[in-house]
Amino acid sequence: MPERNHGTIELESAYFNGDIIITDPGYFVSDMDEWKKCRSGYEMENLGFSNFLCRTTLYGDWCCEVFKSSGSRLWYPQAPEKKLGEFAGDSAQVGVFLLREILRYNPNWNYHLEKPWCACWIKNFTGTVKIVVKLDPDGDESMHLIGIGTQSFFTRETYWSEVFPYKKK
């Protein structure tokens, strides 16, 4: 049963030790047969993954920013210390995966290097990542990832226009 605490619901959590990637699993699953085999990201263990979190986004497609956080203010600190990266989702999924497991599954995957707006790479992370839903007083829900460990972080949804700004020709 999810834990309800101070306007949040913790959906699930996992412990990680190594470089982690936050991304949509659809970005590295090799083809449609594999996507069906893992039930659209819900059963990544069917592709050989053993240490991961994966969940729908609540929103469909989305973009998020990842910020370093410290102390007890994991939710929207007054001034985020440092932007660690961003990630996107096109299949309405978000996941946290060990980079070594992604590369073992798909050695040619390189979005963390060539498309960093799609995958946030957090190096040498040791700790717990939680997927939580924040319940606002007006009834709105927002989903976040919270990392508590060697490099604590939180995510914040952004808009496609912030990641891919319109440029006049």
Side-chain angles (χ1 to χ4, degrees), residues 70-87:
S70 62
S72 60
R73 293 272 333 224
L74 289 172
W75 289 104
Y76 298 109
Q78 295 299 324
E81 294 178 28
K82 176 183 175 186
K83 183 175 172 182
L84 299 175
E86 50 203 14
F87 63 93

Side-chain angles (χ1 to χ4, degrees), residues 12-24:
E12 57 188 299
S13 64
Y15 180 82
F16 293 90
N17 186 5
D19 290 6
I20 60 172
I21 298 290
I22 305 171
T23 193
D24 181 331

Side-chain angles (χ1 to χ4, degrees), residues 8 15 19 42 44 52 70 76 82-83 94 96 127 135 149 155:
T8 65
Y15 180 82
D19 290 6
Y42 288 102
M44 296 301 291
F52 65 92
S70 62
Y76 298 109
K82 176 183 175 186
K83 183 175 172 182
V94 63
V96 182
L135 307 170
T155 65

Side-chain angles (χ1 to χ4, degrees), residues 71-110:
S72 60
R73 293 272 333 224
L74 289 172
W75 289 104
Y76 298 109
Q78 295 299 324
E81 294 178 28
K82 176 183 175 186
K83 183 175 172 182
L84 299 175
E86 50 203 14
F87 63 93
D90 289 318
S91 71
Q93 296 281 341
V94 63
V96 182
F97 305 90
L98 288 168
L99 177 58
R100 66 179 172 262
E101 287 194 348
I102 293 174
L103 295 176
R104 183 175 55 228
Y105 168 76
N106 183 348
N108 297 318
W109 187 79
N110 63 4

Side-chain angles (χ1 to χ4, degrees), residues 42-167:
Y42 288 102
E43 296 179 3
M44 296 301 291
E45 60 274 6
N46 293 344
L47 301 180
F49 288 82
S50 61
N51 192 193
F52 65 92
L53 288 173
C54 195
R55 191 139 190 111
T56 62
T57 64
L58 298 179
Y59 312 108
D61 296 353
W62 74 337
C63 289
C64 285
E65 296 174 307
V66 181
F67 293 95
K68 182 177 180 182
S69 184
S70 62
S72 60
R73 293 272 333 224
L74 289 172
W75 289 104
Y76 298 109
Q78 295 299 324
E81 294 178 28
K82 176 183 175 186
K83 183 175 172 182
L84 299 175
E86 50 203 14
F87 63 93
D90 289 318
S91 71
Q93 296 281 341
V94 63
V96 182
F97 305 90
L98 288 168
L99 177 58
R100 66 179 172 262
E101 287 194 348
I102 293 174
L103 295 176
R104 183 175 55 228
Y105 168 76
N106 183 348
N108 297 318
W109 187 79
N110 63 4
Y111 277 29
H112 62 302
L113 300 172
E114 293 189 2
K115 297 181 181 182
W117 60 92
C118 292
C120 181
W121 179 12
I122 300 176
K123 298 177 184 177
N124 302 312
F125 180 81
T126 301
T128 300
V129 179
K130 299 178 179 187
I131 298 177
V132 298
V133 174
K134 184 176 182 197
L135 307 170
D136 294 332
D138 60 3
D140 289 338
E141 297 178 342
S142 56
M143 194 167 99
H144 304 269
L145 301 175
I146 306 262
I148 302 167
T150 52
Q151 188 162 204
S152 296
F153 64 87
F154 72 97
T155 65
R156 177 182 75 185
E157 184 180 12
T158 56
Y159 299 96
W160 285 104
S161 60
E162 293 177 43
V163 178
F164 303 105
Y166 175 77
K167 294 181 182 178

